[in-house]
Amino acid sequence: MAFALNGFVMGMWIVHIPAIEHQVGITHAVLGWMLLFLGGGAFAGMQVCGALADRFGSRAIVLAGGALCSAMVVLPGLADSPWTLAAALLALGFGNGCLDVSMNTQAVQVERGYGRPVMSAFHAVFSVGGVIASLVGARTISWDWRPSATLAAVAVTGVLITFALVPGMLPPERSSPATNPSQTGAATKRRTPSQVWALGVLALLLMLCEGVANDWSVLHLKDVLDAPAATAALAYGGFATAMTVGRFLTDRVVGRFGRVFIVRYGAGLAALGLAAAALSPWIPLALLGWTLFGIGLSGCIPQFFTAAGNVDPESSGANVSRVAGLGYIGMLAGPAIIGPLTHLVPLNLAFFLPAAFCVTAAFSAGILRPARSESPQAKT
């Protein structure tokens, strides 16, 4: 429910972007700059709440983050100038970052006690929340509801759902005393940062690829292959559907073959799919390529969160926040990198850069293996 709530709240903001853009009176270019405040707020929220989750437990931070994210979604609907919109997006982004890192930290704890992989399914439910938002948003817009009224209703509903779901979550874990605390702490300080940062870099690369699909897949079919607008929209539809379905199926594959398998062959399949889409002169093959790209990427990012959370269970929140924060930067960087490249090469050839990132992740998947110093509980 926490993952679905996050997807629903952020999805309701997304479906109202055109109306809010018109309400504030800004251009697409200015909106692009405004979205940086959303990303910056999310990154800050992740870093602050990751440490707080380790100190107070992720359940308490899910309560704070879920209530804050839900309440702040009303602010963009009330904005009447670029400056008030920027402030609103900064606050919404902060709440989103708090909920994002705390719910992923709680999910790591749940998975650790559950006995089998479940992280990818949580991320799939996030996507389902976005689908629900698109349906609800389409209906309220057809009823001519003002964005402020709709988002206010979402805020109240979200806060109530947050207070209802939190009691069912797990309390903070009790760590067992180490046999030699000084040596254990020193070893953790030496080894943990390098593995966590490596996981963060891989998350950045693959979430950058996801951002490329979000922002450029439709334009690729429309501008490069001259597809009709309705057909071009299927490129993102195929990608998003494959991501959702793939995440529901990933946990079974992880349980049988492991996290390294998923990232190695998933990222490899993503590279193959994107290359096929980039090189295809035929619309159906390009659509198939974007779909394969989504299937390949679908299970990768959840594995990084699980691995980071298990490097050191006592610093699970901080480690997840580092990986999530770097990944979020990658998501925002995707459009910014591809855009300038199109001044040098055609759009379809620019896709070979994210394809190369997928290949890099595939060859680096071994970083997901537990360190030898991890406890048996962490390896689970």
Side-chain angles (χ1 to χ4, degrees):
M1 285 301 297
F3 277 78
L5 175 64
N6 192 201
F8 176 72
V9 169
M10 297 309 296
M12 289 300 292
W13 142 249
I14 290 171
V15 299
H16 286 92
I17 285 178
I20 292 173
E21 182 185 51
H22 177 73
Q23 173 180 299
V24 177
I26 56 177
T27 64
H28 295 330
V30 174
L31 176 65
W33 287 106
M34 294 292 101
L35 293 177
L36 293 178
F37 287 91
L38 182 70
F43 183 83
M46 290 174 184
Q47 304 317 302
V48 170
C49 289
L52 292 177
D54 290 330
R55 182 173 183 182
F56 300 106
S58 57
R59 180 170 65 178
I61 309 305
V62 169
L63 174 60
L68 182 62
C69 183
S70 299
M72 293 301 102
V73 76
V74 72
L75 297 181
L78 300 174
D80 57 3
S81 70
W83 291 111
T84 55
L85 180 60
L89 293 180
L90 187 66
L92 176 61
F94 188 87
N96 178 47
C98 292
L99 178 56
D100 190 300
V101 72
S102 58
M103 71 186 187
N104 274 289
T105 303
Q106 173 75 193
V108 170
Q109 183 180 348
V110 170
E111 186 177 62
R112 198 152 50 222
Y114 198 64
R116 66 178 178 84
V118 289
M119 178 65 84
S120 296
F122 287 134
H123 284 250
V125 174
F126 173 89
S127 300
V128 172
V131 173
I132 295 173
S134 68
L135 297 175
V136 173
R139 174 55 63 190
T140 58
I141 290 171
S142 71
W143 289 338
D144 293 326
W145 286 22
R146 293 177 59 85
S148 57
T150 303
L151 295 178
V154 171
V156 173
T157 302
V159 170
L160 293 176
I161 290 175
T162 300
F163 278 92
L165 66 88
V166 166
M169 293 186 174
L170 296 178
E173 294 175 303
R174 294 180 180 273
S175 58
S176 58
T179 56
N180 192 333
S182 61
Q183 290 182 2
T184 302
T188 301
K189 289 180 180 179
R190 285 195 303 269
R191 285 192 287 266
T192 299
S194 60
Q195 185 178 9
V196 170
W197 289 122
L199 292 168
V201 170
L202 292 182
L204 184 152
L205 294 180
L206 291 187
M207 289 186 73
L208 184 150
C209 296
E210 186 177 338
V212 168
N214 292 343
D215 293 279
W216 295 100
S217 57
V218 176
L219 285 174
H220 166 238
L221 261 74
K222 187 173 184 298
D223 294 347
V224 176
L225 299 180
D226 294 323
T231 302
L234 295 177
Y236 177 71
F239 171 82
T241 301
M243 285 280 287
T244 304
V245 174
R247 284 176 171 171
F248 275 120
L249 299 176
T250 292
D251 289 324
R252 292 183 179 272
V253 182
V254 174
R256 184 170 182 180
F257 298 104
R259 297 193 296 259
V260 174
F261 179 92
I262 283 291
V263 174
R264 178 166 293 155
Y265 293 100
L269 178 62
L272 180 64
L274 187 56
L279 295 176
S280 173
W282 303 295
I283 292 174
L285 181 56
L287 291 173
L288 177 61
W290 284 111
T291 302
L292 291 176
F293 188 51
I295 292 174
L297 288 181
S298 61
C300 293
I301 297 302
Q303 311 318 313
F304 298 137
F305 289 163
T306 294
N310 284 325
V311 168
D312 177 12
E314 294 185 3
S315 301
S316 182
N319 291 336
V320 170
S321 72
R322 295 184 185 111
V323 173
L326 285 172
Y328 207 85
I329 290 174
M331 180 77 76
L332 296 175
I337 289 178
I338 296 298
L341 275 180
T342 59
H343 295 293
L344 303 175
V345 297
L347 175 60
N348 60 319
L349 296 183
F351 292 151
F352 280 94
L353 179 61
F357 290 159
C358 290
V359 172
T360 300
F363 279 100
S364 305
I367 192 65
L368 287 157
R369 292 192 181 96
R372 292 182 180 178
S373 61
E374 284 187 32
S375 65
Q377 183 187 31
K379 291 182 181 179
T380 303

